[in-house]
Amino acid sequence: MAFHSIVPNAVGRLGSLLETFLPWLGLAVPLLLVLALLRRSALALVALLLPVAVWGSLFGGSALADEDRGAHDIVAVQHNVSDENSDPEGTVSDLIEAAPDVVALEELTPSALPAYESALAADYPHHAVEGTVGLWSRYPLSDVRPVDIKPEGIPEGWNRGLRTTARTPQGDIAVYVAHLPSVRIRWNGLSSGWRDESAGLLGEALAAEKLTKVLLLGDLNSTVDDRGLDPVTEQMDSAGRHFAFSWPATFPVSRIDHVMARSMVITDIRTLPATGSDHLPVAAGIRFEP
């Protein structure tokens, strides 16, 4: 847990695989406790304090805190709605319960898009869609354009990134919506080459952004600990290691759906109740800094 960054990625991307499920290494602690008690070993019990301290330093404090880190100016919701979701209207109804100001959706299919547009129109009169990702906003949007995050080898027509400017009462912010390629766990390790390449392209787009305040919403198919997402996380702030596990919806084990910001503060992040998707929605409060 303490030195996960030195686990090599050269073979099977084992380092990224470990980092994807890093908080779950803490499950070794109760197992070691049982073994120490069975052996009636005082030395083993004392040694057990080391992994407890490491886990606590990484994930204790803020990861388990329920209180907000302060007042927020806007609320953002991020949700991979799933291309197999049979209830777009019900999904939208669940999302707007959080009273978001902006809503980012991924895996929008041509057949389901009109249903999402109709259900969101009353509360979110401004929206932008590029390929299978979209943004709905209470604030006017301008300068909408696709963001090329397509890795080599993926056929043309694959479009999972957009950028727009939201005109908020606190000033203009650049909003990015992205859906990075999926990863697969195979017998020889983690298959994440396309995801990593796409993260690099997204990082380049964020680095070139001219506006000071930037908001990134998306299914990044990575956790904040995964080094494969470094081109993005090195530029954007998130809610750190707050759990808010979003995938899979039936038994969430990691947060791969993210709300990240630059020159703004993520005050809190939480998951919302399950919809018809295999992901849980994620809601975050955002505070504008002077």
Side-chain angles (χ1 to χ4, degrees):
M1 286 187 290
F3 303 105
H4 58 87
S5 61
I6 67 173
V7 177
N9 238 4
V11 179
R13 287 183 164 80
L14 294 180
S16 286
L17 179 61
L18 172 69
E19 291 160 344
T20 298
F21 302 103
L22 196 62
W24 294 96
L25 294 185
L27 292 178
V29 171
L31 175 61
L32 293 172
L33 175 61
V34 170
L35 293 175
L37 293 175
L38 288 175
R39 289 180 58 86
R40 299 181 181 179
S41 170
L43 180 60
L45 287 172
V46 172
L48 190 60
L49 294 176
L50 179 59
V52 169
V54 170
W55 193 94
S57 67
L58 290 175
F59 305 105
S62 64
L64 299 177
D66 291 327
E67 67 274 9
D68 292 353
R69 294 190 293 171
H72 55 259
D73 295 302
I74 64 173
V75 173
V77 162
Q78 146 61 27
H79 191 31
N80 179 328
V81 295
S82 174
D83 54 10
E84 298 180 352
N85 192 329
S86 60
D87 186 19
E89 293 83 1
T91 296
V92 168
S93 178
D94 291 336
L95 297 181
I96 62 179
E97 285 291 321
D101 298 286
V102 292
V103 178
L105 304 180
E106 297 85 44
E107 293 200 10
L108 295 168
T109 63
S111 59
L113 179 58
Y116 286 107
E117 290 176 327
S118 176
L120 286 160
D123 295 296
Y124 303 93
H126 312 282
H127 81 281
V129 175
E130 293 288 347
T132 58
V133 302
L135 179 74
W136 278 259
S137 171
R138 298 187 190 275
Y139 311 116
L141 301 176
S142 63
D143 194 18
V144 178
R145 60 178 183 265
V147 177
D148 184 9
I149 57 172
K150 183 179 77 67
E152 290 187 17
I154 292 182
E156 294 298 326
W158 189 96
N159 187 354
R160 293 186 178 185
L162 73 79
R163 184 263 185 220
T164 185
T165 300
R167 193 180 313 129
T168 76
Q170 293 84 2
D172 289 354
I173 61 174
V175 184
Y176 287 75
V177 182
H179 183 191
L180 302 191
S182 300
V183 300
R184 296 290 184 268
I185 299 176
R186 297 177 174 147
W187 67 270
N188 58 344
L190 189 72
S191 174
S192 64
W194 277 350
R195 193 270 323 266
D196 295 349
E197 184 180 347
S198 189
L201 293 171
L202 178 58
E204 291 175 6
L206 292 169
E209 175 56 52
K210 297 293 194 295
L211 288 181
T212 302
K213 292 181 171 62
V214 183
L215 180 63
L216 170 63
L217 311 166
D219 173 4
L220 304 186
N221 274 302
S222 295
T223 67
V224 293
D225 295 302
D226 185 347
R227 72 195 69 173
L229 207 60
D230 282 354
V232 175
T233 55
E234 288 173 352
Q235 301 185 61
M236 306 293 293
D237 295 322
S238 68
R241 290 187 167 103
H242 281 67
F243 288 148
F245 293 157
S246 63
W247 180 87
T250 52
F251 186 81
V253 297
S254 63
R255 173 154 55 90
I256 63 176
D257 296 273
H258 296 280
V259 177
M260 299 183 182
R262 188 162 74 207
S263 298
M264 297 181 287
V265 175
I266 307 294
T267 61
D268 65 289
I269 191 161
R270 66 192 189 279
T271 55
L272 302 178
T275 66
S277 171
D278 57 341
H279 292 240
L280 293 178
V282 170
I286 300 159
R287 185 173 68 243
F288 286 44
E289 293 293 313

